[in-house]
Amino acid sequence: MILIEKGVDFCLKVFDPSDPEKISWLSTLKATPAIKHGDTIMTNVDDIAEYLEITFPDVPLQPADYDLLDFGCEIFGNFFRYINNKYEDQDSAFQEKVVANLTAINEQLVTSGGPFIAGEKLTLADCNLFPKLHHVLVALGHFKNFHVSDDHLMIVGYIGTMMQTNSFIKTRYPDSWVHARWSKYIKQQ
């Protein structure tokens, strides 16, 4: 997303996670997403974002409030605990934590005036948060029948806005790939 927002020419390689040939190539990178630029190979999302911001400064994406770069990051850990939970009687406690995270995101969108995390302009904060939020909502909707409530209208608008960005449209992959990624964590019936 960052490269597209910055207007940088690049070659995007998207792979189907069920394709063993692509997975064997990917294993040389150790993680995704990954970037290779000259002799530089990176797989840490934060390092990639910082590298791109420094290397391609013509279109700055750094939010004015540096703390927003990590905004909402707790949702992914709470999502993982929720989707990985094997005890049905504990689901509601994990779900409450995800809802609390969504409430915080919703409140930030209200505070910033939206439509993005930092306000009117898409920033690195959105490039960091939205892919995680997308995984959370797609996987939880599929496996736990969880959906964003009407109490989080700003998030609904945020999702719609982000899904219409050129950078998301060009890097989106099928929801079935998100399902496949997270299916191994679901309690076996």
Side-chain angles (χ1 to χ4, degrees):
M1 288 180 72
I2 297 170
L3 289 166
I4 293 168
E5 291 298 329
K6 287 184 162 289
V8 175
D9 289 330
F10 68 98
C11 174
L12 175 67
K13 293 186 180 183
V14 179
F15 67 96
D16 178 345
S18 65
D19 183 340
E21 182 180 313
K22 300 294 184 198
I23 298 235
S24 97
W25 168 82
L26 183 66
S27 68
T28 64
L29 296 174
K30 307 292 183 226
T32 61
I35 186 169
K36 182 176 188 289
H37 183 240
D39 292 335
T40 302
I41 297 176
M42 301 176 130
T43 58
N44 178 284
V45 175
D46 295 331
D47 292 343
I48 291 170
E50 181 179 3
Y51 176 80
L52 294 174
E53 194 69 1
I54 291 167
T55 307
F56 304 102
D58 292 346
V59 179
L61 294 175
Q62 179 74 37
D65 181 351
Y66 190 80
D67 290 337
L68 289 178
L69 287 176
D70 293 329
F71 183 78
C73 65
E74 312 84 32
I75 196 169
F76 211 63
N78 287 327
F79 152 73
F80 182 77
R81 286 184 283 284
Y82 182 23
I83 204 157
N84 196 38
N85 177 42
K86 307 292 186 224
Y87 306 101
E88 219 169 292
D89 62 331
Q90 295 177 2
D91 260 7
S92 62
F94 290 114
Q95 181 178 351
E96 285 175 22
K97 290 182 180 185
V98 170
V99 170
N101 295 138
L102 291 172
T103 299
I105 294 168
N106 198 73
E107 289 171 0
Q108 173 58 34
L109 289 163
V110 169
T111 300
S112 75
F116 301 106
I117 293 298
E120 293 182 14
K121 183 178 177 249
L122 187 145
T123 67
L124 290 174
D126 302 292
C127 293
N128 185 21
L129 176 62
F130 189 70
K132 293 175 180 112
L133 184 61
H134 181 69
H135 268 254
V136 167
L137 297 177
V138 168
L140 289 181
H142 182 73
F143 294 112
K144 301 277 189 177
N145 198 29
F146 176 89
H147 303 284
V148 175
S149 75
D150 291 341
D151 296 339
H152 301 106
L153 289 178
M154 291 296 287
I155 290 179
V156 173
Y158 177 66
I159 292 166
T161 299
M162 287 300 296
M163 290 183 88
Q164 291 175 26
T165 62
N166 194 33
S167 56
F168 184 75
I169 291 167
K170 288 186 175 183
T171 59
R172 185 173 186 181
Y173 37 85
D175 287 354
S176 62
W177 291 10
V178 176
H179 303 158
R181 164 70 176 93
W182 295 104
S183 65
K184 66 183 175 184
Y185 297 102
I186 300 304
K187 174 178 75 171
Q188 298 299 318
Q189 300 296 338

